[in-house]
């Protein structure tokens, strides 16, 4: 069976999915396998059944029972070697890695001033650093192969913040900026990175969710977007994609119009508010990387003497 076979566009590809044992991760693993990918299903074994089997084992069994190929991995995303362990599992079993889905995450609720530093650090270590560890290990394999698809599972909490979830928002916001950096760095080597911001029912969102909302929060509704991003035919790079309940929209970070500051060294608050309002009336603009925004604000390319400090464009460019 070839990758061109109808209904199996990911045949021959190998994927790693962290946090793949439940909720969104499970739906991602099943969808990737259904399209022909061989999958490393990662999930730490905090809970096992009477047979000693954990979430990753059960998802792996589902895939193999349907005729697919999968292997379970039990490392904790918080472990220093977790990324290397997951990628090694793929290489030892199938000799390659094409798709990396950094999905493992936890949420610890609580107002920031009441949350311990240890709790805050735990969320960052799993959600942000764990995803970075996996992406680093994947990138070291994908760049030499001149091919790869990296999908970082973030959250609209990382775009907008959230009350009582400051650690979660910080970790997911970090992934958004990290992912744009990876997208710029990997484009010239065929390694494309996109960020998925899903609305779905998970262990974190189940509590207190109204039944009507739960009916629209099927994790399976998010999976088609992920498999499209994982496709070799996908050319998207550096995108923020919000999706859930059969709906989708593009998100981004923008800067509005440029206004001149007054010469007065004592800027009054009401003047600042007026300047921001004037800026807001300008056209919102996106920038591929931070240095592009800097040169635009400070006077254009002439300021940099013609030097290109931004690296390759998101859609491609010179090797770096």
């Amino acid at each position: 069976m070839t990758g061109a076979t109808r209904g199996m566009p990911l045949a021959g590809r190998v994927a790693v999915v962290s946090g793949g044992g439940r909720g969104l991760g499970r739906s991602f693993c099943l969808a990737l396998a259904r399209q022909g990918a061989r999958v490393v299903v990662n999930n730490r074994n905090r809970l096992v059944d009477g047979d000693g089997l954990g979430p990753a084992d059960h998802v792996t069994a589902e895939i193999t029972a349907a005729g697919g190929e999968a292997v379970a991995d039990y490392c904790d995303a918080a472990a220093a070697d977790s990324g290397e362990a997951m990628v090694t599992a793929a290489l030892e079993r199938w000799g390659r890695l094409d798709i990396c889905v950094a999905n493992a995450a936890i949420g610890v609720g609580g107002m920031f001033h009441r949350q311990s530093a240890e709790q805050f650090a735990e969320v960052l270590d799993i959600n942000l650093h764990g995803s970075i560890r996996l992406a680093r290990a994947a990138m070291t394999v994908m760049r030499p192969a001149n091919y790869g698809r990296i999908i970082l599972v973030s959250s609209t909490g990382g775009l907008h913040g959230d009350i009582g979830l400051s650690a979660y928002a910080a970790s997911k916001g970090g992934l958004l900026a990290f992912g744009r950096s990876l997208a710029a760095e990997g484009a010239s080597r065929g390694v494309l990175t996109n960020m998925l911001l899903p609305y779905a029912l998970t262990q974190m969102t189940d509590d207190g969710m109204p039944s009507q909302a739960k009916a629209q929060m099927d994790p399976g509704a998010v999976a088609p977007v992920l498999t499209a991003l994982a496709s070799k035919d996908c050319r998207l790079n550096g995108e923020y994609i919000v999706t859930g309940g059969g709906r989708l929209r593009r998100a981004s970070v923008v800067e509005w119009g440029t206004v001149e500051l007054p010469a007065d060294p004592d800027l009054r608050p009401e003047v600042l508010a007026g300047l921001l309002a004037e800026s807001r009336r300008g056209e919102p603009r996106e920038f591929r990387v931070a240095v592009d925004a800097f040169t635009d604000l400070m006077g254009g390319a002439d300021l940099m003497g013609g030097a290109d400090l931004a690296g390759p464009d998101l859609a491609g460019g010179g090797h770096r």
Side-chain angles (χ1 to χ4, degrees), residues 1-258:
M1 189 170 291
T2 69
T5 302
R6 183 174 178 82
M8 300 289 280
L10 297 178
R13 301 296 181 182
V14 173
V16 167
V17 181
S18 66
R22 300 178 185 273
L24 279 166
R26 173 180 174 274
S27 72
F28 295 158
C29 291
L30 296 178
L32 290 166
R34 187 168 57 250
Q35 291 199 5
R38 295 165 286 185
V39 186
V40 175
V41 182
N42 162 262
N43 211 99
R44 59 179 180 175
N45 267 349
R46 299 185 68 183
L47 298 172
V48 297
D49 60 18
D51 297 321
L53 301 176
D57 298 305
H58 290 292
V59 175
T60 298
E62 284 186 74
I63 292 172
T64 55
E69 294 184 58
V71 61
D73 175 83
Y74 314 110
C75 66
D76 188 336
D81 62 348
S82 59
E84 292 180 1
M86 287 182 239
V87 170
T88 297
L91 297 178
E92 289 183 345
R93 184 67 174 264
W94 297 297
R96 61 186 295 160
L97 176 66
D98 307 284
I99 302 159
C100 169
V101 182
N103 170 72
I106 63 170
V108 180
M111 298 297 283
F112 175 67
H113 65 284
R114 296 175 182 167
Q115 194 172 43
S116 71
E118 291 74 20
Q119 287 176 316
F120 200 100
E122 181 186 17
V123 174
L124 290 181
D125 201 27
I126 292 175
N127 299 6
L128 178 58
H129 298 150
S131 296
I132 289 172
R133 293 179 190 109
L134 177 55
R136 177 183 289 111
M139 189 68 88
T140 60
V141 173
M142 292 175 172
R143 281 181 66 89
N146 291 306
Y147 182 86
R149 299 291 181 265
I150 297 175
I151 299 107
L152 304 178
V153 181
S154 184
S155 168
T156 53
L159 274 177
H160 310 301
D162 219 338
I163 296 173
L165 288 169
S166 58
Y168 184 79
S171 67
K172 293 300 188 175
L175 281 181
L176 294 176
F178 172 66
R180 286 297 302 271
S181 300
L182 283 193
E185 291 183 8
S188 65
R189 296 298 184 95
V191 182
L192 308 183
T193 301
N194 291 285
M195 284 56 71
L196 192 59
L197 290 68
Y199 291 119
L201 196 64
T202 68
Q203 289 175 288
M204 287 185 286
T205 59
D206 196 4
D207 292 342
M209 181 73 65
S211 58
Q212 184 176 356
K214 287 184 179 182
Q216 300 180 41
M217 297 273 283
D218 178 10
V222 175
V225 181
L226 180 122
T227 53
L229 291 173
S231 169
K232 66 179 178 61
D233 296 323
C234 182
R235 295 294 180 265
L236 298 172
N237 194 33
E239 294 286 351
Y240 298 165
I241 303 174
V242 181
T243 184
R247 299 175 178 180
L248 175 150
R249 62 187 174 201
R250 183 177 185 270
S252 187
V253 175
V254 301
E255 296 185 21
W256 275 270
T258 305

